[in-house]
Structure formats: structure tokens, C-alpha cells
Amino acid sequence: MKTSRSSNAVSPQSRTADGRDSILRHLFTVSRPHQWSKNLFVLAPLLFSRNLGDPGALANACIAFACFCLASSAIYVVNDIQDANADRLHPLKRLRPIAAGGLSPAMAWMWAVLLTAGSLALAQSLGVQVLALCGTYLILMLGYCFHLKRVVILDAILIAGGFVIRVAGGAAAIAVAPSHWLIICAFLLALYLAFAKRRQEMLTLSDAVGHRSALSAYTLPFLEQVNTILLAALLLSYALYTVAPETIARCGTDLLVYGTLFVLYGLLRYLHLIQTAGNGGDPGKLLVSDKPLAATVAGWTVYNAAIIYRAEVMRFLERLF
């Protein structure tokens, strides 16, 4: 009697489809979509310039947001290619597709090129200034990936500089001049998060220097002092921004200053979270995973929008009721 083929046999077509799905999942993962929340900095000029109700400005700001999402993903891919050996020493990063061997460096390079091309195409659609800022961001971050991340202090400053470029790109996309205070606040916030992450890595990694060579030049007391200074400077700068004459003139009120409470709680909440080793030091992941932190950011956004656009909100409510 002939034995029938096992019903569990997998056809070549199924194996091919599974392999394709696996590659797509790895490409999606290596792009780090959970980090796209950092590109919300691009939308800050839209909110504070009172252009949120302008459909054209809103569309351009969203395109700029997508542009920097693609650009940052391209940089993450390049960084993972460069750091594959070091990532294998990290308890979590060793699971990344390239470090774990699920995605080949050649495939990753092709994906990085495609992401970069998409980013530059979106930037070009918004004008020369946005294209120049996007190009500057890519060049700056590539320099960080290949060498500058090994230079103590400069490594964190470059990361903060990338956030400033995001803010400038968002402003250029809607043809407004970014406030100097907004630039300062964005820079200080990014710098604080970068140094806080360095401190967390030194506390939680058994081979922190092997994972990130620049950490050999840092000490925990130094990083704690830096974070204290940056936290105080950020809170003071934000409070001064909300009561600056230009801000009051644009918004017609000084009520934005009370939004400092959201900023204070959010920063202290983040500081509290990174005291626990299991939480890591990645603000992008914490923003997605920690409900109080996410609610704080949402509350800050809603409060500021309500104050800045209070006239529009009142007119809407009058029509509604």
C-alpha cells in the first residue's frame, strides 16, 4: 500500500512566502517605528505658530514628519549595521535583526538607501530649505554612526543637534521662523535624554564600555551632575519661553506658563522610570509603554492647544451649542 504524503508537509511556495514575510518583519523592526515618536518635534512649530487650523500648513507638517521618520529609520539601520558586534554584548540589542543574523548587512544597506531616497524625495517636495535640513541631518547622523559617537560629550551634543534640526525642518515646512526659545528647549530636552540614557547604560550593562566605547570616559557622578544641571536648565528655559514677550504677543496670554507642570511631571516621571534597570533608558519606548508618561505628553499637547487656539475653540463651541 502506498503511503500518503504527510499533511504537515510545507510546499516550496509556502516556504518562500514565509521567508519573504520574515524579511519584511525584520525590515520593519530594524526601522524602529517605535522611535518615530521622537519626530513629533517636527510638529512643535505647527502647534506654537497658531497654524494648526491651516490645512496647507498641517499637510506640509505631516509630510515633514514622514520625511524625518524615514530619515531617522535610515540612520537606525546604518547604526545597527555598524554596531552589530557591540549589540551582541547587550542583553536586549542582541535580539535586533542584524545582530541576531535575521537580516544580512547587504539587505540592510539596500533598505537604508531606499529609506534615504524616500526621505529626500519628501523633503524636496517641501522646498530647498527642508531638503537642505534633511540632508544636514543625514550627514550629521552618519558622522555620528561611523565615528563621532565615540567622542565623549560630543556624542550627546550631536544627538541633541539632530532634534534641533527636526524643529527647524518643521518650521521650514510651514514657512515660519522657529522661536529661539523653542530651539533652546528642544536642544536641552534632547541633551538631557541623551545623558540620562548614558547613565542608565552604565548602571545596567555588565559590559557597558564594550557596548559603547565612549562610556569609558564617563563616570556616574559626572552624568548625575550633568543631568541635574540639564533638568534645571530645561525647566527654567521652558518657563521663560512661556512668559517671553514674543510668546505672550503671539498667543495673547501668559497662561502657557502653567503647562510647565506637565513638563515637570514628565521629566521627573522619566527620571523615576530609568532608576529601574528593566525599563532601559530609551525615551521612545518608554513614551509608548508607560501610560502616565504618555498621558502627560498628551495632556501637555491638549493644554497648549487649548490655550493657543482658545478663540477658535470658543467659536467652535458656540456654533456647536
Side-chain angles (χ1 to χ4, degrees), residues 46 48 74-75 98 102-103 124 129 144 160 162 211 239 251 264 298 313:
L46 177 70
F48 288 102
I75 295 301
I98 300 173
L103 191 65
Q124 185 178 25
Q129 190 174 0
Y144 172 87
H211 170 66
C251 300
L264 174 62
V313 171

Side-chain angles (χ1 to χ4, degrees), residues 14-285:
S14 298
R15 288 196 296 270
T16 301
D18 290 343
R20 188 184 302 112
D21 290 343
S22 177
I23 291 176
L24 290 176
R25 284 196 300 270
H26 287 320
L27 291 176
F28 181 77
T29 301
V30 80
S31 301
R32 301 192 209 175
H34 63 276
Q35 298 284 11
W36 290 347
S37 59
K38 295 178 180 178
N39 295 302
L40 291 173
F41 277 72
V42 174
L43 304 180
L46 177 70
L47 173 65
F48 288 102
S49 65
R50 298 178 60 88
N51 282 299
L52 192 58
D54 182 342
L58 179 60
N60 285 346
C62 289
I63 294 173
F65 174 78
C67 164
F68 280 95
C69 284
L70 294 180
S72 60
S73 287
I75 295 301
Y76 288 136
V77 175
V78 173
N79 190 67
D80 283 2
I81 295 171
Q82 292 297 110
D83 284 357
N85 291 330
D87 284 348
R88 295 185 182 103
L89 302 174
H90 193 283
L92 296 178
K93 294 181 181 181
R94 63 185 178 83
L95 301 176
R96 289 177 175 174
I98 300 173
L103 191 65
S104 69
M107 179 68 73
W109 274 116
M110 287 190 291
W111 183 235
V113 170
L114 287 174
L115 289 169
T116 300
S119 174
L120 292 175
L122 288 176
Q124 185 178 25
S125 72
L126 294 173
V128 176
Q129 190 174 0
V130 178
L131 178 61
L133 286 167
C134 181
T136 301
Y137 171 83
L138 288 167
I139 293 171
L140 186 69
M141 292 298 101
L142 285 173
Y144 172 87
C145 290
F146 284 102
H147 176 68
L148 297 176
K149 63 185 175 184
R150 301 180 182 89
V151 182
V152 65
I153 298 178
L154 182 61
D155 61 330
I157 291 177
L158 287 176
I159 292 175
F163 282 88
V164 170
I165 294 175
R166 286 175 169 96
V167 173
I174 60 174
V176 299
S179 165
H180 296 304
W181 282 110
L182 189 60
I183 292 293
I184 291 172
C185 289
F187 179 78
L188 289 174
L189 174 59
L191 199 59
Y192 167 74
L193 295 176
F195 277 117
K197 187 175 182 181
R198 298 292 183 271
R199 174 187 176 277
Q200 181 70 356
E201 288 173 336
M202 292 192 69
L203 284 174
T204 59
L205 297 180
S206 58
D207 187 13
V209 175
H211 170 66
R212 192 187 297 275
S213 59
L215 289 177
S216 62
Y218 288 118
T219 64
L220 283 175
F222 170 78
L223 291 174
E224 288 170 354
Q225 289 178 19
V226 167
N227 285 331
T228 300
I229 293 170
L230 290 174
L231 182 60
L234 174 57
L235 287 171
L236 179 60
S237 296
Y238 183 80
L240 290 174
Y241 164 65
T242 61
V243 295
E246 60 182 281
T247 305
I248 295 175
R250 183 171 59 252
C251 300
T253 180
D254 60 358
L255 292 177
L256 287 181
V257 69
Y258 298 108
T260 307
L261 293 175
F262 290 101
V263 178
L264 174 62
Y265 176 80
L267 291 173
L268 293 181
R269 174 68 182 176
Y270 177 75
L271 187 61
H272 170 72
L273 288 172
I274 63 173
Q275 303 303 312
T276 303
N279 284 327
D282 190 331
K285 287 185 177 180

